[in-house]
Amino acid sequence: MKNDQLKQLEQIIHAEIEQKNRVFDYWQTYSDFTNWQFWLVVALFAIPLVLLILFIDRRRVFLLGFYGYSVHVFFGYTDIIGVDRGIWQYPYKLFAFLPSSFTLDASLVPVIYMLYYQYLLNRGKNYYLWMLPLCFLLAFFMKPLMVGIGLFHFHEKENFLILFAGYVFTALIAKWLTDLFVFLSKSTKWSLNRK
């Protein structure tokens, strides 16, 4: 590595450490366990997981689990990009050291998608057609509600259409990835049975 490159890298690391310290100080002041918003964030994390354990179709648990994990990953990436680019922010978080909302990325949104996907599978509904209303509700109802109670904040002008696009992107990628792995699983079984 060149000296100029190393120097710039060290400056970036130093600035990131300072920023993380500021974020932690903010979290301790406004978002720790002494605030009601923190407990709401905890509930939004825990309750969906309890509901998932109670209502997941055990016969399809691996399919639904893989799908939910895919939602978690791609919604998390989308959320991190939004936070990192300064488009939106979460004033109250479960963990200060994570850049986005662990509550939404790891529990609330994946569980909503999983249980809805289970509902669509059980009723034989068209996934692509029926996911649009869910994405619409999440982007244009849930997020404005979160803005209203202070759990979500746009840096500049509110743009719920970007959020809708993110929810649709997540729904598409999670479905395509799940379908790909189901196909690969079936084709592997087929080729193993032929031998």
Side-chain angles (χ1 to χ4, degrees):
M1 220 184 295
K2 298 176 186 174
N3 284 339
D4 290 343
Q5 181 183 3
L6 185 58
K7 183 178 179 182
Q8 189 173 3
L9 183 61
E10 290 295 325
Q11 289 172 341
I12 290 169
I13 292 169
H14 181 70
E16 286 180 350
I17 291 170
E18 280 185 27
Q19 180 63 11
K20 294 294 181 190
N21 288 337
R22 283 195 295 270
V23 167
F24 187 73
D25 289 344
Y26 170 88
W27 184 85
Q28 282 186 309
T29 304
Y30 299 106
S31 189
D32 70 350
F33 63 89
T34 62
N35 297 290
W36 69 267
Q37 293 92 340
F38 174 82
W39 294 107
L40 179 58
V41 169
V42 169
L44 291 173
F45 176 77
I47 292 170
L49 294 175
V50 170
L51 292 174
L52 181 66
I53 290 167
L54 293 175
F55 295 110
I56 194 167
D57 183 346
R58 303 257 188 300
R59 295 170 294 140
R60 293 183 172 155
V61 73
F62 286 108
L63 173 73
L64 295 167
F66 184 86
Y67 171 81
Y69 183 74
S70 298
V71 169
H72 158 68
V73 169
F74 290 101
F75 182 75
Y77 289 157
T78 304
D79 210 15
I80 288 170
I81 290 167
V83 170
D84 189 53
R85 301 304 308 157
I87 301 169
W88 61 73
Q89 187 58 260
Y90 295 92
Y92 303 97
K93 296 185 200 181
L94 195 56
F95 303 113
F97 55 85
L98 295 175
S100 60
S101 173
F102 186 72
T103 296
L104 264 64
D105 299 348
S107 178
L108 185 63
V109 172
V111 169
I112 290 171
Y113 273 66
M114 288 170 73
L115 292 177
Y116 193 66
Y117 182 43
Q118 175 178 295
Y119 169 82
L120 297 177
L121 286 171
N122 290 341
R123 306 267 178 318
K125 303 282 187 188
N126 181 304
Y127 177 86
Y128 300 101
L129 182 65
W130 286 90
M131 281 307 286
L132 289 175
L134 176 64
C135 296
F136 183 86
L137 286 172
L138 292 173
F140 294 104
F141 178 73
M142 183 183 78
K143 283 293 172 92
L145 180 62
M146 290 179 68
V147 168
I149 60 175
L151 296 182
F152 185 77
H153 174 74
F154 280 102
H155 175 64
E156 293 178 359
K157 183 180 175 189
E158 293 179 353
N159 190 340
F160 295 101
L161 196 55
I162 288 176
L163 298 176
F164 177 72
Y167 284 113
V168 170
F169 166 79
T170 298
L172 291 174
I173 295 296
K175 175 74 164 111
W176 293 340
L177 192 60
T178 301
D179 288 350
L180 173 65
F181 275 81
V182 167
F183 170 77
L184 292 174
S185 172
K186 289 179 181 177
S187 65
T188 301
K189 288 177 185 175
W190 179 79
S191 64
L192 289 176
N193 290 335
R194 289 188 68 200
K195 291 182 180 181

